[in-house]
Amino acid sequence: MLHSRSYLLALLAVIPSCALAAQQRAIDRARSAFMQHDFAAAEAAYRDVLRTDTVTAHRVDAATTLASLAWRLRGDTAAAGRVLAEIESIGPAEARLERARMLRASHAY
């Protein structure tokens, strides 16, 4: 009985670390693609981060980078605004700062 309880506790300790490792891999994959200027892969990976990651800092980073790619590369300020609106509640300062950059660059202030 004691052996099975120890096994169960060890298993429960490993499961969260596996989830965290998967989240870390997603954000690392996104950042790596971005730094290699593979923007299509970066966008897909950042969307994966938004969809699956539970770390607030990762989600905010993903959203602000997706917004930046939308308006800087494609000139799509509407898509950028939608992405920033999604994270307004968890990263208001970052969302507002990226929105201000976008509005200034597009002379829409």
Side-chain angles (χ1 to χ4, degrees), residues 40-61:
E43 284 187 87
Y46 279 122
R47 288 190 193 290
D48 188 39
V49 170
L50 282 178
R51 194 174 42 258
T52 63
D53 206 318
T54 59
V55 178
T56 300
H58 293 174
R59 293 175 51 76
V60 170
D61 182 30

Side-chain angles (χ1 to χ4, degrees), residues 28-103:
D28 289 341
R29 191 173 60 250
R31 289 173 179 159
S32 176
F34 181 83
M35 294 305 291
Q36 293 173 16
H37 296 188
D38 185 352
F39 299 124
E43 284 187 87
Y46 279 122
R47 288 190 193 290
D48 188 39
V49 170
L50 282 178
R51 194 174 42 258
T52 63
D53 206 318
T54 59
V55 178
T56 300
H58 293 174
R59 293 175 51 76
V60 170
D61 182 30
T64 55
T65 305
L66 278 171
S68 179
L69 289 170
W71 72 266
R72 290 176 195 253
L73 292 181
R74 293 190 311 277
D76 191 347
T77 57
R82 285 190 300 273
V83 172
L84 293 172
E86 289 179 30
I87 64 146
E88 186 77 32
S89 64
I90 62 170
E94 295 88 343
R96 290 178 187 144
L97 181 58
E98 190 60 32
R99 187 180 309 280
R101 288 182 185 126
M102 177 178 65
L103 293 174

Side-chain angles (χ1 to χ4, degrees), residues 9-32:
L9 290 174
L11 182 61
L12 290 175
V14 171
I15 290 171
S17 66
C18 290
L20 183 59
Q23 291 172 358
Q24 195 62 39
R25 283 192 300 270
I27 192 68
D28 289 341
R29 191 173 60 250
R31 289 173 179 159
S32 176

